[in-house]
Amino acid sequence: MGDSYVTEPPFVHHDTGPILAIDCHPSGKKFITCGQKAMSSNGLVVVWNMEPVLSKSKANDENVPKLLFQVESQSQSNSCRWSPDGNRFAFGSDDSSVSVWEYVGRINSLGSITGGAQNVERYKECCVLRGHRMEVLAVEWSPNGKYLASGSLDHRIIVYNARKLPDQIAVLTDCQMPVKGLSWDPIGKYLASLEGDKKLRFWATDSWQCVTSVTEPFEGSKEETVLSRMDWSPDGKYLMTPAAVRDGQPLVKLVQRKSWKSDQFLAGHTKGTTCVRAMPRLLDVTLKNGKRMQLTCAAVGSRDKSISIWIFPGTVKPLLAINNIFHHTVMDFAWCGRSLLACSQDGSVKVINLSENVIGDMITNEAMSDLCYQIYSIRPPQYETGGQNDENDLDSMDALDNSLSGNNNSFITCPEDIVNRRKQLDQSQKSSNIPNKSTKTTPKEMEASAHEKKMMEERNKQIEVVKDGKRRIQPVFCGTTAATSSDVPEPVKKTTFAAPPPVKKRAVVPMSKDEVDLEESSDSDDDDEDEEEDDEMETSEAESGRSRKRKTPASTTRPMMAMDLKKPVLRPMEPKSLQTTQGTVVMEAPEQQPRLSQHVLDRKGMFVEVDNRWKQGGVETTQIKLVKKRQTEDVEDDGEEERRTVQECVWMTVIGVPVIMVAANKHHVLLGCGDKSIRAYRTICGSHMFCLRLDALPVIIGVKENAAFALTESAHLNTWNLKSGKAIVARQPLFDCVEATADNSLISVDVSESGVPLIVFSNGSIFTYNVSLSCWIQAITTNVLGRLTSAISDAQLERNDGTTAGPLVRLLKRMRKQTTAPGVQPQVVKAIKESQLEQLLHCAEQLGNPHDYQTILMLYVETLCEGGSEKKMKNVLNELTRNGAPMQVCGLRRAALCDDVTRIIKQRQPAIAERIGAGAAGTTNTTKTRSLF
């Protein structure tokens, strides 16, 4: 067959529908595809058997199943990924949802539980995540299995707690364009996102703040596809991003870690690149000069229907290029050993089999773990030997399914069978090291067999029920996978949470010249951060000095530690649960962490670092430091440059209470403390400004220019203008907003530069505060009125002067647009639209943002001109020119605003402008354009 060959499994298809994503199971024994079903708008997700794809004899064997499981969704599925442990998969759809399914067992009977082809495996939908408001384009599990991230057309990224779905860890709302791709750093420090083929963002996983953004690779690029798949190199040194362009040529750019430079690239395709996927581990390659190197192997797909395979760094040509392998765009890749699976929008899957002579061998997980530890002082969990037991566990589960089913062609649908299977699995693991002295059936197996036989008899029984004079016949046995009945036995094996072992000191490993520099977050210095990683513990000084050889038996599992259940640090702009009880709202207080590090906004390389366990003279207190980190380049003896991170302490202070959260910008540093207080310091010098006592522990704090806010666990909001030293909102409860919206999830809290709050709830409702009237005002809500009027489009909210939109306009752009119901009378549409804009204009005036106010005012006047509302136009001009009014509104000159309004009326409604021109004579006769500011 040669060194490499291409095959196309004919049974892998979506009934001629497009296949938009593909992913290989961690065990390598199955893979998943998702896309759209042919001739319909429904989505289709299918789990396939890998054996007949890689083996021709298995493909021709009718007894070998090809399709393992399939499920239809209400709309097109755009992305699908397996969890790192292989027990779950998630897919995102056009209906703005992310669906998570969990493996239950195997099915040995005919028929399908989902209405499609015959299923061999059984999965249950364990959770549906509905945090987005528009189509979900990307879903990705973190390598350590802690997080599940999703990106959407609504310009947002939502990070979920994968161990406690549907809890949200963070909602990243700084994106300015649709999020088309996501990729987790294999080292665990960053989440990369691609926005509209125009910008890359790197989010720190310890604070969920944007560390940096990169736009250079996309200068001159065009959005040619809706989906873009990017990936990191296995050692985390490079992020490979498609959709890049250089001098009009499509590329895949290699963004270097830490420096974020994109000088290297992979070129050769004639149309825009759409996807890139790296092998899960580095390759051990022998060069022509005999030198051995560890390189990255990655596949690149494009709109030109071609695939190229690269080994880098150090190469300028692809290792292999296959032109026109598909009839449409290449959408996604999945690696299974040395076999590459590729899917296309034409609805087919191709398999490229590469021999060892072409690409060499992948290094072992142990070698990858040692390599990452030498570079970053971190052992990623996906490269630990303990993580390889998942495949054995799945194999033993499959074997247990077959042993329990015997010759009976019945499938397991009740919780009792699942519990019995778990019992048998535990028993088989305990006795795996004991020689088998007898082949007789054990009592437990006989008991399980008798229990199954009894359930099969009950399956055929029926009872007669008479209710309300009606006779009903229903089966006694109703299978379910939800343990809702009290008769379901509890699992025999209970998990005990052991106390965490004493922390062992790590030996300092000297850096080699080939290593990349560490993160600005100082991975090696933050020992407590390393403690929270599951698989980075139990490293002694002796193990640090030599390469470790851990041969863990398949039946040995690591005991669950108490620290595994630690909750993440609660940060600003994260969704918070609101529990309404007896007229009050209760929020979950954050958990104290040993150390905190917060980047100072608008100050590159500056961080506020908090040590809650700082000891001096035997006394444990809390130390707060403002440090500035910068990179230096030292020239070694051999002429090579080595980068080092130098940390400089700007100022330091000590307080006697623990700090649970930090917010900082170029003006102020705000500390939320465990004694229910808020402490403020000046960023430039560290001088103490004030210490305010709150009514409860702070849950969210934030600063914006010279304004600050704090939300407590009793859901009371406080905002301050730090420049004037005044309170804007004092202990204002959120209960009225929660009760009005019937919502229990807080998406974000922000303040204007003057200290006026802006609050967003999960149902789309936006609230701000009227300081003069001391009351909440609702900017907009997603209710039935949205179906009776036309939505505000993004084009209407765009500014022609190139200025940045304000917070209210940005929120309006991200809201999901509702379609107008058919048959609504034009006067009803007009009246509701004008009322909504009047409310928005009032909220913009309270927030005081000039860009928001001018944008909404002009949109309001244009809407009045379309409807011919002459009295309302005159009222706008009268408000802008009335005697005794301040010369400025939201920092804008009233006279200049009046000129703009009059100009719009003259252009749209000349007759009305002539009739009301007397009221604006002073502004319409001038030819000089007045400045707004």
Side-chain angles (χ1 to χ4, degrees):
M1 294 184 181
D3 290 336
S4 61
Y5 58 93
V6 180
T7 60
E8 179 180 0
F11 52 85
V12 179
H13 56 79
H14 284 190
D15 296 332
T16 70
I19 300 179
L20 303 180
I22 188 171
D23 194 35
C24 182
H25 191 269
S27 67
K29 295 187 176 182
K30 51 190 173 183
F31 65 97
I32 188 172
T33 60
C34 75
Q36 188 174 359
K37 196 172 182 181
M39 307 301 293
S40 71
S41 60
N42 292 347
L44 187 62
V45 180
V46 187
V47 179
W48 306 93
N49 189 1
M50 185 68 79
E51 282 187 334
V53 172
L54 301 181
S55 173
K56 186 176 180 180
S57 60
K58 297 290 185 181
N60 296 329
D61 190 350
E62 296 181 354
N63 296 324
V64 177
K66 278 73 175 178
L67 185 148
L68 302 180
F69 176 79
Q70 77 171 10
V71 60
E72 292 186 18
S73 57
Q74 296 296 324
S75 59
Q76 174 179 289
S77 301
N78 300 314
S79 178
C80 59
R81 290 294 184 261
W82 290 102
S83 62
D85 60 5
N87 292 329
R88 295 179 292 176
F89 66 82
F91 63 89
S93 305
D94 278 353
D95 61 357
S96 72
S97 70
V98 176
S99 183
V100 181
W101 291 69
E102 184 178 10
Y103 175 80
V104 177
R106 295 185 68 87
I107 301 173
N108 297 317
S109 70
L110 299 176
S112 169
I113 59 174
T114 58
Q118 175 182 346
N119 288 327
V120 177
E121 293 184 343
R122 180 175 177 82
Y123 294 81
K124 67 175 181 179
E125 189 175 35
C126 57
C127 191
V128 179
L129 310 173
R130 302 190 182 277
H132 289 288
R133 294 188 282 270
M134 296 183 72
E135 291 87 339
V136 178
L137 304 182
V139 292
E140 292 288 342
W141 301 83
S142 62
N144 57 13
K146 290 184 178 180
Y147 309 120
L148 173 61
S150 60
S152 169
L153 278 175
D154 63 3
H155 302 192
R156 298 193 307 159
I157 302 170
I158 301 180
V159 182
Y160 297 93
N161 185 349
R163 298 176 178 175
K164 195 179 178 182
L165 294 174
D167 288 2
Q168 296 179 359
I169 300 296
V171 178
L172 312 180
T173 59
D174 293 340
C175 305
Q176 300 173 350
M177 288 171 282
V179 181
K180 301 172 63 174
L182 296 172
S183 183
W184 289 94
D185 168 26
I187 310 304
K189 294 300 176 185
Y190 300 110
L191 170 63
S193 64
L194 179 58
E195 300 176 19
D197 293 345
K198 295 293 183 181
K199 180 183 290 187
L200 272 176
R201 288 184 188 267
F202 294 88
W203 308 85
T205 56
D206 57 352
S207 62
W208 303 115
Q209 301 296 320
C210 181
V211 177
T212 187
S213 59
V214 180
T215 58
E216 185 273 334
F218 313 104
E219 295 178 357
S221 67
K222 299 179 181 179
E223 290 194 47
E224 297 179 335
T225 60
V226 179
L227 307 174
S228 295
R229 319 286 188 190
M230 55 184 178
D231 198 12
W232 290 79
S233 60
D235 56 1
K237 290 185 178 180
Y238 299 96
L239 174 70
M240 303 166 287
T241 175
V245 174
R246 181 180 180 181
D247 298 331
Q249 182 182 11
L251 306 171
V252 167
K253 281 279 189 166
L254 308 182
V255 182
Q256 189 175 1
R257 186 188 190 90
K258 181 69 178 301
S259 67
W260 314 119
K261 294 181 179 179
S262 56
D263 300 332
Q264 303 182 54
F265 55 86
L266 310 177
H269 288 276
T270 58
K271 292 186 179 181
T273 54
T274 56
C275 54
V276 59
R277 193 76 175 262
M279 270 188 165
R281 299 189 298 278
L282 296 177
L283 291 178
D284 193 3
V285 180
T286 302
L287 303 181
K288 294 181 180 180
N289 56 8
K291 185 179 179 180
R292 299 182 67 86
M293 291 188 65
Q294 294 172 344
L295 304 177
T296 298
C297 179
V300 177
S302 169
R303 290 183 61 249
D304 61 8
K305 313 168 191 175
S306 303
I307 293 175
S308 59
I309 299 177
W310 298 75
I311 294 181
F312 63 87
T315 57
V316 294
K317 293 183 178 179
L319 179 69
L320 179 67
I322 308 176
N323 296 325
N324 297 318
I325 188 174
F326 291 108
H327 298 290
H328 211 301
T329 303
V330 184
M331 299 304 299
D332 200 5
F333 294 114
W335 286 96
C336 180
R338 286 193 294 267
S339 298
L340 174 67
L341 280 70
C343 68
S344 169
Q345 200 168 349
D346 64 10
S348 64
V349 170
K350 300 291 177 65
V351 183
I352 305 173
N353 299 278
L354 305 174
S355 69
E356 184 179 353
N357 298 331
V358 176
I359 62 173
D361 254 338
M362 285 189 293
I363 65 176
T364 63
N365 279 333
E366 184 178 352
M368 281 297 306
S369 178
D370 292 338
L371 176 65
C372 293
Y373 185 77
Q374 290 174 7
I375 300 176
Y376 309 103
S377 299
I378 288 178
R379 295 189 182 274
Q382 67 269 26
Y383 300 138
E384 290 291 274
T385 55
Q388 301 304 312
N389 292 336
D390 297 334
E391 181 178 343
N392 297 331
D393 293 342
L394 290 172
D395 294 343
S396 59
M397 179 63 76
D398 294 342
L400 181 60
D401 290 336
N402 296 330
S403 65
L404 284 179
S405 60
N407 296 324
N408 295 328
N409 292 326
S410 62
F411 64 92
I412 306 302
T413 53
C414 63
E416 289 85 347
D417 284 353
I418 299 175
V419 173
N420 286 331
R421 288 185 176 186
R422 303 285 169 85
K423 292 179 183 179
Q424 295 292 332
L425 178 61
D426 295 339
Q427 183 66 24
S428 62
Q429 290 179 346
K430 290 179 182 178
S431 60
S432 59
N433 297 327
I434 301 176
N436 188 9
K437 298 181 181 180
S438 176
T439 58
K440 296 182 179 180
T441 306
T442 62
K444 288 193 175 183
E445 290 177 348
M446 295 177 61
E447 181 182 354
S449 178
H451 182 66
E452 182 178 1
K453 184 177 179 181
K454 180 180 179 181
M455 287 190 299
M456 291 298 298
E457 294 176 354
E458 291 180 352
R459 183 190 299 274
N460 298 323
K461 293 183 180 180
Q462 295 179 343
I463 60 174
E464 180 177 332
V465 179
V466 178
K467 185 176 181 180
D468 299 332
K470 296 181 179 180
R471 177 175 176 267
R472 303 177 186 272
I473 297 178
Q474 65 184 33
V476 173
F477 182 87
C478 295
T480 178
T481 57
T484 56
S485 173
S486 59
D487 298 332
V488 178
E490 294 292 329
V492 176
K493 186 176 179 180
K494 297 183 179 180
T495 304
T496 58
F497 302 102
V503 179
K504 300 179 181 180
K505 297 183 179 179
R506 300 178 183 267
V508 179
V509 180
M511 291 180 61
S512 65
K513 297 178 182 179
D514 298 333
E515 296 173 7
V516 299
D517 45 280
L518 302 181
E519 279 23 44
E520 291 184 356
S521 56
S522 184
D523 302 333
S524 58
D525 294 338
D526 196 350
D527 293 336
D528 295 287
E529 182 178 327
D530 294 341
E531 293 173 14
E532 294 181 2
E533 299 295 331
D534 295 341
D535 297 297
E536 295 171 13
M537 300 189 60
E538 304 175 5
T539 305
S540 62
E541 294 182 2
E543 291 172 333
S544 302
R546 65 178 185 270
S547 63
R548 302 187 308 172
K549 297 182 179 180
R550 295 183 295 271
K551 303 294 184 180
T552 306
S555 59
T556 303
T557 57
R558 183 179 65 84
M560 185 177 292
M561 301 300 178
M563 63 182 61
D564 293 342
L565 303 181
K566 283 187 177 180
K567 299 177 181 178
V569 183
L570 295 177
R571 303 283 180 179
M573 302 302 291
E574 294 182 5
K576 297 292 182 290
S577 176
L578 302 174
Q579 299 178 0
T580 305
T581 56
Q582 297 180 355
T584 60
V585 178
V586 180
M587 303 182 68
E588 184 179 359
E591 183 178 289
Q592 177 185 330
Q593 300 295 319
R595 292 187 180 183
L596 298 173
S597 180
Q598 178 65 43
H599 177 251
V600 179
L601 297 178
D602 302 325
R603 286 294 180 265
K604 184 178 181 180
M606 297 190 70
F607 294 83
V608 177
E609 296 187 347
V610 177
D611 186 356
N612 284 320
R613 297 179 180 175
W614 187 71
K615 291 185 178 180
Q616 190 73 14
V619 179
E620 184 174 292
T621 57
T622 298
Q623 180 194 53
I624 299 98
K625 294 191 302 181
L626 179 69
V627 298
K628 186 175 182 179
K629 300 179 181 180
R630 56 186 178 88
Q631 295 180 359
T632 60
E633 294 185 356
D634 298 336
V635 180
E636 301 295 331
D637 296 337
D638 55 1
E640 295 185 359
E641 294 183 353
E642 181 180 1
R643 292 184 179 180
R644 296 182 181 178
T645 301
V646 179
Q647 182 171 298
E648 174 188 355
C649 181
V650 180
W651 54 262
M652 183 269 291
T653 187
V654 179
I655 61 176
V657 295
V659 176
I660 56 180
M661 55 181 51
V662 184
N665 65 2
K666 60 184 178 181
H667 300 297
H668 308 285
V669 174
L670 206 64
L671 306 177
C673 303
D675 62 346
K676 305 179 185 179
S677 67
I678 289 288
R679 287 173 164 82
Y681 298 85
R682 298 192 186 278
T683 305
I684 189 172
C685 59
S687 61
H688 184 263
M689 296 178 60
F690 58 77
C691 176
L692 303 178
R693 189 78 172 185
L694 303 176
D695 62 304
L697 287 175
V699 174
I700 307 175
I701 63 174
V703 288
K704 186 172 184 180
E705 293 298 327
N706 289 302
F709 72 89
L711 182 64
T712 65
E713 61 180 347
S714 59
H716 284 82
L717 182 67
N718 300 266
T719 67
W720 305 276
N721 189 326
L722 302 182
K723 188 174 183 179
S724 61
K726 295 181 179 179
I728 307 301
V729 177
R731 296 191 178 184
Q732 185 66 29
L734 296 185
F735 176 74
D736 295 337
C737 302
V738 177
E739 187 179 40
T741 60
D743 192 88
N744 62 349
S745 182
L746 181 66
I747 296 298
S748 66
V749 180
D750 198 3
V751 290
S752 66
E753 296 180 5
S754 59
V756 179
L758 183 65
I759 300 177
V760 182
F761 290 94
S762 60
N763 67 343
S765 297
I766 303 174
F767 283 83
T768 186
Y769 191 77
N770 190 314
V771 180
S772 302
L773 301 178
S774 299
C775 186
W776 293 106
I777 55 176
Q778 191 166 5
I780 198 167
T781 181
T782 53
N783 54 23
V784 294
L785 291 181
R787 298 294 311 280
L788 301 179
T789 187
S790 59
I792 302 175
S793 65
D794 293 348
Q796 293 176 304
L797 298 172
E798 291 293 338
R799 296 281 302 278
N800 296 327
D801 54 5
T803 57
T804 305
L808 185 57
V809 170
R810 288 199 299 268
L811 288 174
L812 292 176
K813 287 183 178 180
R814 295 171 187 172
M815 290 188 62
R816 187 163 188 172
K817 306 299 188 292
Q818 293 180 283
T819 57
T820 306
V824 182
Q825 297 180 0
Q827 58 267 30
V828 175
V829 175
K830 167 181 171 296
I832 297 177
K833 183 70 171 292
E834 292 176 358
S835 178
Q836 287 183 347
L837 289 173
E838 288 162 359
Q839 183 72 3
L840 287 172
L841 188 63
H842 177 58
C843 293
E845 185 177 0
Q846 295 300 314
L847 292 171
N849 186 279
H851 305 297
D852 281 347
Y853 185 81
Q854 185 186 13
T855 301
I856 297 176
L857 175 62
M858 299 309 159
L859 178 58
Y860 176 55
V861 174
E862 291 174 358
T863 304
L864 295 180
C865 292
E866 291 177 2
S869 302
E870 181 177 344
K871 292 184 178 179
K872 289 189 176 182
M873 296 182 207
K874 189 173 182 179
N875 180 67
V876 171
L877 291 174
N878 291 339
E879 286 293 323
L880 293 174
T881 58
R882 64 185 174 89
N883 296 328
M887 293 184 61
Q888 292 186 341
V889 52
C890 297
L892 302 173
R893 294 179 182 272
R894 288 180 178 269
L897 288 174
C898 188
D899 291 344
D900 293 340
V901 170
T902 305
R903 191 177 301 110
I904 293 175
I905 298 176
K906 277 188 172 183
Q907 293 174 353
R908 304 291 181 89
Q909 294 285 353
I912 296 178
E914 186 177 353
R915 287 196 296 269
I916 64 176
T923 60
T924 56
N925 295 331
T926 180
T927 59
K928 183 180 179 180
T929 303
R930 308 191 195 191
S931 174
L932 282 170
F933 298 94

